[in-house]
Amino acid sequence: MTVALKKPPRSARKPKGDGHMRRGEILAAAEKIFIAEGYAGATIRKIADAVGVSSTALYMHFRDKDQILLEIGKEAIEKLLSINVALSQEPIDAVEKVRRMLDAYMRFAFENPNTYQLVFCGSNEAISVEKQQAVSDLGDRCFDEFSGPIREIAAAGRLKTGTAESAAQVLWAACHGIVSLVITKPSRSWAPAEELMQVTLDGVMHGLIADR
Amino acid sequence: MTVALKKPPRSARKPKGDGHMRRGEILAAAEKIFIAEGYAGATIRKIADAVGVSSTALYMHFRDKDQILLEIGKEAIEKLLSINVALSQEPIDAVEKVRRMLDAYMRFAFENPNTYQLVFCGSNEAISVEKQQAVSDLGDRCFDEFSGPIREIAAAGRLKTGTAESAAQVLWAACHGIVSLVITKPSRSWAPAEELMQVTLDGVMHGLIADR
DNA sequence: GCCCTGGGTGATTCCCGTTTAGTGTCAGGT
DNA sequence: ACCTGACACTAAACGGGAATCACCCAGGGC
């Protein structure tokens, strides 16, 4: 037993055979199942089977189930974040930036419903707060990129109501509201998604931001 | 074994001892636990223990776990529905009706976060569509009460954008968005709830509905 | 008296996520 | 050439969920 304290000197040692690929394989399989069957449907055993490996093996590469799925969420949000970053650097009006970011946000949600739910619908208390940290941070950074232009707008005195903080949260939330409802209640009869996005954007932008 | 087909003629037979109270006891215990610990925390065994009965006994009175919790949700929504019904009959301007309904909706959510999540956040695919029928219907009726005034407003040509259908959905969803986010992501730093509700209401009403 | 029936139970089944103890294998140091 | 140890992996098991099974037992109707 001793104590086995020795990590620092270990530096070399190439990754073995396909060992370094497993993590990726697992993520790929998990993502496929998760997208098709949602959080509850993506069980450890199913993922392991898909990879062709025992369920225990997943614990070699991930601490637990949540970490696997949150990793998937992380990658998806990184795409969203990069969109937001790109938009925020574009030389366009702040209002236009906000509009495009919200539009991208909603389209992202409709295109990745399960991932969206996992990350933004809290996954319903199923996942502890600390575990979500990494993903939460990314979400925060997305929101930061978004609230930048909002602060510009507020500074220009063009907010009809609320502070930069609350206005940003409300704008974001309005978009979250429509996509999360449509995603989680697909059985209700909704107006066409395109129209809902349009009305949400128009309504909320005109409601909170002065025209000129 | 035979076939055991006989239900129609059975009509008399009073409810025995406390048999007819059990259902209520179970619901009360389940509600307490559910409110305190959420959907996952309210396990069959815990509820049964609280009632002082074996877990199997719950299946005498309810088909499965979901039915118990949905029953709780149903009762809660009935309150919301009655508020909406009362408001819709009041002799006030349709716009004011809409505003008050949305206000009541958001306050209801903040006051019953777990119930709200169960009913309106889809409970994350955990519950099958058919089971939700009863609760869904109530939700629909709430929405119907709400969309009545919206149609009035639309008929008066006071909708700035969208149809009566999409406008109603977007207004509702905006309110859902802010409360669901605050409820499911309590760790983020939110503006005060009162301010968020206010900004949401003002913004979205002014954005979608013409002033006069 | 009998018998049916409805509320109730303990044991059991099935499926989760996760843990434990162990196996084979390969890289490097000696 | 031989250890040594880290690594990728596995089979089996554990504990805890929901749900079902095969039974009990008390009591009202006949």
Side-chain angles (χ1 to χ4, degrees):
Chain A
M1 231 136 270
T2 71
V3 194
L5 71 158
K6 36 153 141 181
K7 284 287 145 62
R10 296 198 70 284
S11 54
R13 196 133 208 175
K14 281 185 305 189
K16 206 170 41 176
D18 51 0
H20 61 300
M21 309 197 62
R22 269 292 125 81
R23 191 184 166 90
E25 287 178 42
I26 293 171
L27 281 177
E31 180 167 21
K32 207 174 294 181
I33 298 176
F34 169 64
I35 289 176
E37 313 190 34
Y39 180 83
T43 67
I44 290 281
R45 286 170 165 85
K46 259 192 239 174
I47 298 170
D49 280 359
V51 181
V53 98
S54 86
S55 62
T56 320
L58 303 202
Y59 291 89
M60 301 285 104
H61 305 277
F62 301 91
R63 190 155 35 79
D64 54 26
K65 174 184 170 176
D66 293 340
Q67 214 194 36
I68 299 177
L69 296 186
L70 287 178
E71 195 86 14
I72 293 172
K74 215 178 92 184
E75 285 174 15
I77 297 196
E78 267 162 8
K79 288 181 211 155
L80 182 61
L81 177 58
S82 72
I83 294 177
N84 273 9
V85 170
L87 279 174
S88 86
Q89 289 170 346
E90 214 142 310
I92 51 178
D93 182 42
V95 174
E96 186 57 23
K97 272 184 199 172
V98 167
R99 176 181 289 274
R100 289 199 199 170
M101 281 183 186
L102 291 178
D103 188 68
Y105 178 76
M106 290 191 283
R107 289 182 192 283
F108 171 83
F110 282 127
E111 282 160 20
N112 312 278
N114 273 325
T115 306
Y116 183 84
Q117 234 178 113
L118 175 69
V119 176
F120 290 107
C121 297
S123 184
N124 257 1
E125 85 210 63
I127 302 182
S128 73
V129 184
E130 325 109 19
K131 286 185 193 166
Q132 292 189 322
Q133 204 54 46
V135 177
S136 240
D137 287 350
L138 276 172
D140 286 351
R141 284 175 57 197
C142 279
F143 186 77
D144 288 345
E145 292 298 329
F146 169 72
S147 56
I150 296 285
R151 274 193 295 269
E152 279 181 50
I153 293 170
R158 290 177 62 186
L159 271 192
K160 282 186 181 174
T161 173
T163 61
E165 187 197 13
S166 59
Q169 289 170 4
V170 166
L171 283 167
W172 189 270
C175 295
H176 164 75
I178 195 67
V179 294
S180 68
L181 273 183
V182 173
I183 286 174
T184 61
K185 306 278 182 192
S187 58
R188 299 216 183 159
S189 71
W190 298 101
E194 209 61 47
E195 180 182 350
L196 289 175
M197 288 194 284
Q198 191 64 44
V199 173
T200 299
L201 264 184
D202 282 355
V204 96
M205 299 283 291
H206 288 139
L208 288 177
I209 300 171
D211 267 346
R212 169 200 36 86
Chain B
M1 235 137 264
T2 72
V3 193
L5 70 158
K6 37 154 147 183
K7 279 293 145 57
R10 294 200 70 283
S11 55
R13 196 125 203 176
K14 284 184 306 191
K16 210 168 41 173
D18 50 0
H20 61 300
M21 310 196 59
R22 270 291 126 80
R23 193 185 165 88
E25 288 177 42
I26 294 170
L27 281 177
E31 179 167 21
K32 207 175 294 181
I33 297 176
F34 170 64
I35 288 176
E37 313 188 34
Y39 180 83
T43 67
I44 291 280
R45 294 202 230 279
K46 259 192 237 173
I47 298 171
D49 280 358
V51 180
V53 97
S54 86
S55 61
T56 319
L58 302 203
Y59 291 91
M60 299 286 102
H61 306 277
F62 301 91
R63 191 156 35 82
D64 53 25
K65 173 184 170 176
D66 293 340
Q67 214 194 37
I68 300 177
L69 297 185
L70 287 177
E71 195 86 12
I72 294 173
K74 214 178 94 183
E75 285 175 16
I77 297 197
E78 266 160 9
K79 289 181 210 156
L80 182 60
L81 177 58
S82 71
I83 294 177
N84 273 9
V85 170
L87 278 174
S88 86
Q89 289 169 344
E90 214 143 312
I92 50 177
D93 182 44
V95 174
E96 185 58 21
K97 272 185 200 170
V98 166
R99 177 181 289 274
R100 289 199 201 169
M101 282 183 188
L102 292 177
D103 189 68
Y105 178 76
M106 289 191 283
R107 289 181 194 283
F108 171 84
F110 281 128
E111 281 159 20
N112 312 279
N114 273 325
T115 306
Y116 183 84
Q117 234 178 115
L118 175 69
V119 177
F120 291 107
C121 297
S123 186
N124 257 3
E125 82 211 65
I127 302 181
S128 72
V129 184
E130 326 109 21
K131 288 185 191 166
Q132 292 190 321
Q133 204 53 45
V135 177
S136 241
D137 287 351
L138 275 172
D140 285 352
R141 283 175 56 199
C142 278
F143 186 78
D144 287 346
E145 293 298 329
F146 169 73
S147 57
I150 295 286
R151 274 193 295 269
E152 280 182 50
I153 294 170
R158 290 177 63 187
L159 271 192
K160 283 187 180 174
T161 173
T163 63
E165 187 198 14
S166 60
Q169 289 170 4
V170 166
L171 283 166
W172 190 270
C175 294
H176 165 74
I178 195 67
V179 295
S180 67
L181 274 183
V182 173
I183 286 174
T184 60
K185 305 280 181 192
S187 58
R188 300 218 183 156
S189 70
W190 297 100
E194 210 60 49
E195 181 182 349
L196 289 175
M197 287 194 283
Q198 192 64 44
V199 173
T200 299
L201 265 184
D202 282 355
V204 94
M205 299 283 290
H206 287 140
L208 287 177
I209 300 170
D211 269 347
R212 163 208 41 85

